[in-house]
Amino acid sequence: MSLKHKEALIFTLKLDDLSGAQIIALLQEHLNDMHATSPPESVHALDLSGLKHPSVQFWTIWDGDKLAGCGATKQLDEQHAEIKSMRTSAAYKNQGVASAVLLHLIEQAKTSGVKRLSLETGSMDFFVPAHGLYLKHGFEFCGPFADYSEDPNSKFMCLNL
């Protein structure tokens, strides 16, 4: 799938096998930020092996041969999935990459029969842009889901499809 962004460049979304050096580096950057921002017991980001689980579909978004970002869904049950590992490469921040990935994840979830998308994100100021992104696309704050429990360092959001 290809999408235009504001400078008329074309982004391409693809289902990724997580083997490329660029995505491994971006995911490590993501994990480093999560561990630098949240206490260890409140870091719920999946590592590379967790993202390779059969319940996870992992997508990357590209500007030619440059990785612009990523995002994944983890199937929790037949009608419920969780958004994981949303990340935009530093060079592509504020260019619509996160919205493009999120909209793609929502469409993929709908196509596969998912009725509810949920996510966990941090409660600190670092995560305020993420809260805004999800709210902009119809997500609402909710309580913990799946195996999560109340945590002052976490915010939970969901979208009924």
Side-chain angles (χ1 to χ4, degrees):
M1 173 181 198
S2 295
L3 301 164
K4 289 188 178 185
H5 67 77
K6 58 186 167 187
E7 277 105 34
L9 297 173
I10 296 177
F11 286 133
T12 303
L13 278 146
K14 71 175 192 172
L15 196 56
D16 201 289
D17 66 4
L18 297 150
S19 63
Q22 288 183 72
I23 192 56
I24 291 169
L26 184 62
L27 288 170
Q28 189 58 56
E29 178 185 301
H30 179 65
L31 286 172
N32 291 347
D33 275 351
M34 297 306 99
H35 285 283
T37 308
S38 301
E41 67 277 7
S42 297
V43 174
H44 303 289
L46 295 175
D47 62 12
L48 201 54
S49 65
L51 290 168
K52 288 183 178 182
H53 190 273
S55 65
V56 177
Q57 275 199 329
F58 190 87
W59 294 88
T60 48
I61 187 167
W62 297 84
D63 175 11
D65 63 353
K66 296 177 190 152
L67 179 63
C70 63
T73 55
K74 178 181 180 184
Q75 199 74 31
L76 300 175
D77 64 39
E78 285 183 17
Q79 297 186 348
H80 192 189
E82 178 181 6
I83 292 182
K84 301 296 290 182
S85 300
M86 287 285 297
R87 184 72 177 196
T88 301
S89 299
Y92 290 92
K93 296 220 185 262
N94 300 311
Q95 295 184 41
V97 168
S99 285
V101 172
L102 183 58
L103 289 170
H104 184 73
L105 295 177
I106 291 168
E107 282 307 309
Q108 290 296 310
K110 286 178 182 177
T111 299
S112 64
V114 168
K115 302 293 182 208
R116 182 179 179 99
L117 271 176
S118 299
L119 63 94
E120 179 276 338
T121 188
S123 62
M124 300 74 145
D125 288 345
F126 178 86
F127 298 97
V128 168
H131 303 160
L133 170 72
Y134 297 124
L135 289 168
K136 173 180 153 186
H137 291 288
F139 283 78
E140 298 177 346
F141 290 103
C142 62
F145 60 93
D147 294 332
Y148 293 105
S149 56
E150 287 292 342
D151 179 350
N153 299 300
S154 291
K155 288 195 180 256
F156 304 96
M157 301 180 83
C158 63
L159 175 67
N160 292 317
L161 303 176

